[in-house]
Amino acid sequence: MKTAAIFDIDGTVFRDSLLLQHLEKCVDYDVFPEQARAEIKIAKKQWKNRELDYDEYMLQAVEVYKKYLIGKPEHDIEFVARKVIEKQYQLLYTYTRNLMEWHKEQGHTIIFISGSPTFLVSKLAQKLGVDIWFASKYGTEDHVYVDDITPMWDSVSKRKALDILEEHYDIDLSSSYGYGDTTGDYTLLASVGHPTAINPNQKLYKKIQETNLPCKIVVERKDVIYHIQ
């Protein structure tokens, strides 16, 4: 069986949200109206003021994003997605960027499991040399986006992805490594032999403590990396 290194993306590998970067660029390229940016700013301000936690902030962001994505042609969304990855793919945390290189040297299978859209995750995965990826699927009809999402940001969906890895990709989770930052990643961290929480939010940190999960905790701020446990 194979040993894997399984990464969440947003806040773990990527120093922002791919979805939010895409929303901003969709406004810049006149695919979304300026109102989309204004609505996101409200939620972002609430998060910065700690009136929302990060999970709540991102759920609101997904709702805004979905509202403006519906009815848009696939080719417009794909065009902006390519621009986002071309310009932002190096916006990575030093710690996890180096980890990915180390895992590649060990011959480990590199995997992304992310709540961001497939049309962004697939491009970043290809750019970074990732072997397998799972992401949220946004449905289309006649090449136009509709109100249909198969999420990959919650624990239930990520558990299904882990089952697929075991059953169809011959991944041995007990010898594998997992990296995540929010409560949606807890199932991943609890399922692998070598879990590490990267920049965990309060909910994830509290759950790790309450369940006594033997999990490393690493925080990267500016150019300093802190190993908390």
Side-chain angles (χ1 to χ4, degrees):
M1 297 184 75
K2 303 172 186 175
T3 295
I6 308 169
F7 294 85
D8 168 61
I9 295 178
D10 300 331
T12 302
V13 174
F14 190 68
R15 296 197 335 259
D16 199 347
S17 159
L18 286 175
L19 180 146
L20 289 178
Q21 286 280 334
H22 190 250
L23 182 147
E24 289 282 347
K25 291 299 181 186
C26 280
V27 174
D28 291 342
Y29 284 101
D30 296 322
V31 176
F32 291 175
E34 187 63 40
Q35 180 62 23
R37 180 180 282 146
E39 290 183 32
I40 284 295
K41 282 184 178 179
I42 294 171
K44 188 173 185 179
K45 183 177 180 181
Q46 290 177 319
W47 171 60
K48 285 189 172 182
N49 292 339
R50 297 305 184 255
E51 296 166 3
L52 292 175
D53 67 25
Y54 187 75
D55 288 342
E56 293 167 338
Y57 166 46
M58 288 310 301
L59 285 174
Q60 287 196 20
V62 167
E63 287 303 310
V64 173
Y65 182 78
K66 180 178 72 173
K67 179 169 72 173
Y68 291 102
L69 183 72
I70 293 171
K72 298 299 184 297
E74 274 186 291
H75 61 80
D76 287 350
I77 298 303
E78 281 287 326
F79 170 79
V80 180
R82 287 195 301 272
K83 293 298 182 182
V84 169
I85 301 305
E86 286 171 8
K87 295 179 179 180
Q88 303 291 350
Y89 79 94
Q90 292 180 316
L91 191 66
L92 310 177
Y93 285 107
T94 300
Y95 184 76
T96 41
R97 181 186 62 206
N98 292 342
L99 270 176
M100 289 177 68
E101 291 305 314
W102 181 80
H103 282 297
K104 289 177 183 179
E105 291 171 1
Q106 308 312 306
H108 297 161
T109 302
I110 311 299
I111 299 167
F112 279 164
I113 302 180
S114 173
S116 283
T118 299
F119 49 76
L120 291 165
V121 171
S122 61
K123 292 174 178 57
L124 183 63
Q126 290 164 3
K127 198 77 172 177
L128 298 180
V130 171
D131 301 299
I132 302 166
W133 57 87
F134 298 85
S136 298
K137 297 179 181 178
Y138 287 70
T140 61
E141 290 181 7
D142 297 323
H143 305 291
V144 172
Y145 282 93
V146 296
D147 187 5
D148 178 25
I149 302 177
T150 303
M152 189 51 70
W153 55 70
D154 59 288
S155 291
V156 173
S157 299
K158 293 194 176 188
R159 178 66 256 178
K160 291 178 181 177
L162 294 173
D163 290 342
I164 291 170
L165 289 173
E166 286 187 301
E167 295 171 12
H168 299 287
Y169 292 93
D170 201 30
I171 299 298
D172 178 13
L173 294 179
S174 66
S175 69
S176 293
Y177 298 74
Y179 304 95
D181 70 317
T182 66
T183 48
D185 300 314
Y186 180 81
T187 297
L188 164 62
L189 298 177
S191 299
V192 297
H194 307 283
T196 301
I198 310 290
N199 305 316
N201 67 353
Q202 186 179 46
K203 284 184 178 178
L204 177 59
Y205 181 76
K206 185 177 180 181
K207 192 164 186 178
I208 289 170
Q209 300 302 311
E210 289 176 346
T211 58
N212 294 314
L213 183 69
C215 179
K216 293 181 182 178
I217 296 177
V218 175
V219 175
E220 181 174 331
R221 288 293 179 268
K222 296 181 179 177
D223 58 350
V224 181
I225 297 168
Y226 303 90
H227 295 258
I228 297 176
Q229 68 180 46

